[in-house]
Amino acid sequence: MPALTDKIFLPISIFVLNVVLAAFKFVLANAVGACFAIYAMRGCEYAKSVGWIQSSGYREMIKTSYNTSKRKNVPGSVKWALIVAFIATLVANFLDKGIASFVSPGFRLGQPKEDLVISPQVSLIWMFSGWNFVVPVNGSVVGAMERALNSSIANPRPEDGYVYSPVISDYTPVCTDFGLDFQGEIMRNGTGCLVKIFFPARLNRTLVKTERSPNRWSMIVATIPMKSDVVMNEQPAWGFLYFMDPNSLSSKTDACFFLQDYQDNYTYPRTSIAKYIYVNGEFAVVAMTMTRLRGLRDEYDLKFANTFSTYHSDDLIMTMNETIRTKTTPAPPGQEWQNLIAEIRVANSTVDAFVCTVYYEEISDREMFLCVYYTITMHIFNQPVRNSQIQLLIERMKSSQFPGRHMVLEYFPEFTKDNTLAPISTMKLRNDTVAVADYMARIGSTFFADFSENKVYILYDKAEIEVGLEIPLWVLIAAGIITLFSLCVWQLTHWLVGPPHTSTLYSIVRTRLAETSGTPVPRLMRFKLPLMFEGVNLLPDQVEHLPDEAETLLEDTKSE
């Protein structure tokens, strides 16, 4: 149930609103007149004059109030009645403007209809061109994905007057607790699904594993010759991620995802998102956030502190710092050497891995380090397919898939006052990665990148934009109550009080003349000055012809 402060959408135009407010003002003005008719019936001999003066307008009310205030023989209640008449008329005339001030333009979406959009793409090595999107460090990653799926590259020719939003569906997880295989070592057994992280070349030699808790491990691969391993000094920024579905009956049970990053000294975090379809029709989604650091070994501690705001609270970073300081030993003289260190943590379907390599470069005669902080969230799930064309696409993609990225979100850095990059929280990166993976799973059967034909398929809910007005619920209720009350007062007064208290001065004169002439009423009457209706002089020109009471009243007025 909406709150009183919530705004209610009204599918009407400004013209209709003005007509409704004019009717509201008409009813309210007649209700004010009805109230003075009741006062005329129950008040003194001046009471009816108050109602007539009220109906004559502001100028008449102000002049009469001023002149009446000087007369001592007019009751004080009548003087107050004139003031009330002035205020009530103001309220009746301007209350509709007050209501209008709460009204604002608005829109709502009509009933959505599904619309499949297929857009051609330009292929790069691992993804389509243009599917890199920037998200502020403190922004919403899901919001960035929604904007990406509504961008011109995803939907190049949207129909005007409609809003497109990807169809979102619930999904049924196949696995909620993943096992982990790191570099050929089974770290933990999950509930059936297995994640394998592998770095190529000869990094699986002399491996030492330390289990710190049931979901937390440290690994060291020490003193590895790297003379013949060209890519060794780019570890651990180049590797493979596999995740297995135990329900798939095919031998092709591994969904492959490349762990790769650009080769530079420091890369602000970026999140890569991909999807895979098993032969049994189940979906796999992976979201991986990588943060890369490189520099001289002696500077690793400063680099960690400048990169991560959670430097002193994240167990992976603190342990890695200690391990690099105490347990990385060089090889014998004359050989290049390398240590690979990994700090790993698993929670349900999310893996956090801080992987570093410390190595010696013979050419530059320097000890270097390269680290990558990975946060990886995976989902293997079932989800109904709602579109026949997408169902055909899924059947075709089961047999041949390219392990490319569907989308990449690059964090836009913040800067400190001294113009250096602001550190970022690993907890935020973890939460963002989980949110991205969940959203990608909810559009699992909606959004597909077909790398074999260079096309993107997106199933949208297409809804027409209905333009109207918005008004707070409490204003709408108050206006309705005032209108109903005013209408009741107006009609009941006409039924129960009746003429002459509910009649204007013109109406009284018209009715009286109609009685003497036998003409029908209501009708227009010819008028001449001074006060001559239908040839009948309403007041004699001479004061001596006035009735005795009028003459007395005139004399009293002059004496004041």
Side-chain angles (χ1 to χ4, degrees):
M1 183 176 179
L4 290 177
T5 54
D6 291 344
K7 289 192 172 184
I8 303 299
F9 177 81
L10 302 176
I12 60 175
S13 64
I14 293 292
F15 174 77
V16 175
L17 174 67
N18 288 330
V19 171
V20 172
L21 290 178
F24 170 81
K25 182 177 179 179
F26 173 77
V27 172
L28 189 59
N30 280 280
V32 171
C35 291
F36 284 104
I38 298 173
Y39 173 70
M41 181 183 70
R42 304 181 64 87
C44 64
E45 57 186 357
Y46 292 99
K48 183 56 187 171
S49 297
V50 174
W52 286 340
I53 294 167
Q54 183 269 334
S55 64
S56 300
Y58 298 115
R59 184 172 180 272
E60 191 72 19
M61 283 188 286
I62 293 173
K63 289 176 62 179
T64 304
S65 297
Y66 176 76
N67 293 330
T68 304
S69 65
K70 299 179 180 180
R71 295 182 58 186
K72 299 177 181 178
N73 60 334
V74 177
S77 60
V78 176
K79 298 176 182 179
W80 279 108
L82 282 170
I83 297 174
V84 171
F86 180 79
I87 296 174
T89 305
L90 275 177
V91 172
N93 285 333
F94 289 98
L95 187 58
D96 62 317
K97 278 74 173 179
I99 294 174
S101 66
F102 288 96
V103 179
S104 59
F107 71 91
R108 71 177 178 186
L109 301 180
Q111 188 66 27
K113 297 179 181 179
E114 291 186 358
D115 183 21
L116 179 63
V117 174
I118 304 174
S119 55
Q121 303 292 322
V122 177
S123 179
L124 301 178
I125 298 177
W126 300 115
M127 61 182 295
F128 289 141
S129 175
W131 284 87
N132 293 64
F133 300 93
V134 176
V135 55
V137 169
N138 295 318
S140 168
V141 287
V142 173
M145 292 182 69
E146 291 173 341
R147 290 190 296 273
L149 294 173
N150 279 285
S151 64
S152 59
I153 196 169
N155 187 5
R157 291 179 296 275
E159 189 175 349
D160 291 339
Y162 288 86
V163 170
Y164 293 78
S165 57
V167 174
I168 294 176
S169 305
D170 294 331
Y171 60 93
T172 304
V174 173
C175 302
T176 56
D177 188 27
F178 283 77
L180 177 64
D181 178 333
F182 184 86
Q183 208 64 22
E185 289 286 322
I186 300 296
M187 315 297 285
R188 75 190 295 266
N189 293 313
T191 56
C193 295
L194 179 67
V195 178
K196 298 192 294 185
I197 299 176
F198 174 70
F199 298 100
R202 298 197 298 267
L203 293 182
N204 55 349
R205 295 183 178 181
T206 62
L207 185 148
V208 179
K209 179 177 71 173
T210 302
E211 183 174 348
R212 299 183 180 275
S213 72
N215 295 310
R216 171 76 174 87
W217 306 269
S218 296
M219 296 182 66
I220 301 177
V221 183
T223 315
I224 303 174
M226 53 178 293
K227 287 280 188 181
S228 60
D229 297 329
V230 178
V231 298
M232 292 290 280
N233 62 344
E234 287 304 321
Q235 302 298 342
W238 192 83
F240 299 92
L241 171 70
Y242 301 91
F243 37 110
M244 298 182 62
D245 178 6
N247 298 326
S248 181
L249 301 179
S250 168
S251 59
K252 192 175 182 179
T253 57
D254 290 358
C256 178
F257 188 79
F258 289 106
L259 305 178
Q260 64 172 21
D261 203 0
Y262 302 106
Q263 300 180 12
D264 50 16
N265 289 335
Y266 173 64
T267 301
Y268 219 60
R270 57 172 55 89
T271 301
S272 301
I273 311 155
K275 184 186 302 179
Y276 188 90
I277 306 170
Y278 293 105
V279 293
N280 62 352
E282 292 177 348
F283 298 93
V285 161
V286 58
M288 179 190 68
T289 300
M290 300 176 64
T291 307
R292 169 178 169 151
L293 310 86
R294 185 206 291 270
L296 295 174
R297 178 186 174 181
D298 294 341
E299 299 175 351
Y300 73 89
D301 185 57
L302 179 63
K303 203 81 168 182
F304 289 177
N306 291 338
T307 304
F308 302 112
S309 61
T310 48
Y311 171 62
H312 294 292
S313 59
D314 191 321
D315 177 54
L316 302 187
I317 301 174
M318 295 176 66
T319 307
M320 178 64 72
N321 193 339
E322 179 68 17
T323 301
I324 292 177
R325 185 176 63 86
T326 61
K327 296 184 180 181
T328 53
T329 56
Q335 289 187 351
E336 293 188 27
W337 56 271
Q338 180 173 9
N339 296 147
L340 181 73
I341 311 118
E343 301 294 334
I344 305 168
R345 177 174 55 224
V346 178
N348 299 324
S349 60
T350 299
V351 177
D352 296 319
F354 193 24
V355 188
C356 291
T357 180
V358 179
Y359 58 95
Y360 171 72
E361 286 184 345
E362 185 177 13
I363 298 176
S364 62
D365 192 27
R366 297 181 304 177
E367 291 186 6
M368 306 292 294
F369 81 90
L370 171 66
C371 295
V372 180
Y373 196 108
Y374 294 97
T375 295
I376 305 168
T377 298
M378 294 142 291
H379 292 299
I380 298 177
F381 58 93
N382 286 304
Q383 191 176 62
V385 180
R386 299 167 55 171
N387 184 273
S388 58
Q389 285 184 263
I390 287 183
Q391 183 63 59
L392 294 175
L393 171 68
I394 290 174
E395 294 299 325
R396 178 167 57 81
M397 292 180 68
K398 286 179 183 179
S399 59
S400 176
Q401 293 189 75
F402 183 79
R405 289 158 166 75
H406 280 56
M407 186 185 303
V408 173
L409 302 178
E410 300 189 0
Y411 286 86
F412 186 79
E414 288 187 344
F415 293 88
T416 61
K417 293 181 179 179
D418 56 357
N419 205 31
T420 59
L421 288 173
I424 191 169
S425 166
T426 55
M427 179 63 70
K428 174 178 171 49
L429 296 179
R430 184 180 306 115
N431 293 338
D432 285 356
T433 307
V434 171
V436 164
D438 177 70
Y439 183 77
M440 191 66 173
R442 287 190 287 135
I443 59 173
S445 59
T446 297
F447 169 47
F448 289 93
D450 185 359
F451 292 98
S452 62
E453 295 190 358
N454 295 334
K455 292 179 181 178
V456 164
Y457 293 71
I458 304 177
L459 183 63
Y460 289 103
D461 273 332
K462 176 183 172 184
E464 186 176 4
I465 301 173
E466 296 181 11
V467 179
L469 302 172
E470 290 182 341
I471 183 171
L473 179 59
W474 70 269
V475 175
L476 192 63
I477 293 174
I481 292 173
I482 292 172
T483 303
L484 183 62
F485 178 77
S486 300
L487 193 61
C488 291
V489 170
W490 177 26
Q491 293 302 316
L492 288 174
T493 302
H494 273 274
W495 292 339
L496 301 178
V497 177
H501 301 295
T502 58
S503 303
T504 63
L505 178 59
Y506 179 86
S507 178
I508 293 172
V509 172
R510 179 191 61 196
T511 303
R512 180 60 178 166
L513 292 176
E515 291 174 356
T516 58
S517 62
T519 55
V521 291
R523 69 185 183 91
L524 289 175
M525 295 185 295
R526 294 167 295 171
F527 172 75
K528 285 185 179 182
L529 290 173
L531 294 178
M532 184 175 289
F533 288 91
E534 296 293 323
V536 179
N537 197 359
L538 187 62
L539 293 176
D541 294 334
Q542 303 298 324
V543 175
E544 57 267 17
H545 295 157
L546 292 173
D548 292 340
E549 294 122 356
E551 189 174 345
T552 303
L553 178 60
L554 186 59
E555 290 297 330
D556 291 342
T557 303
K558 290 179 179 179
S559 65
E560 294 175 3

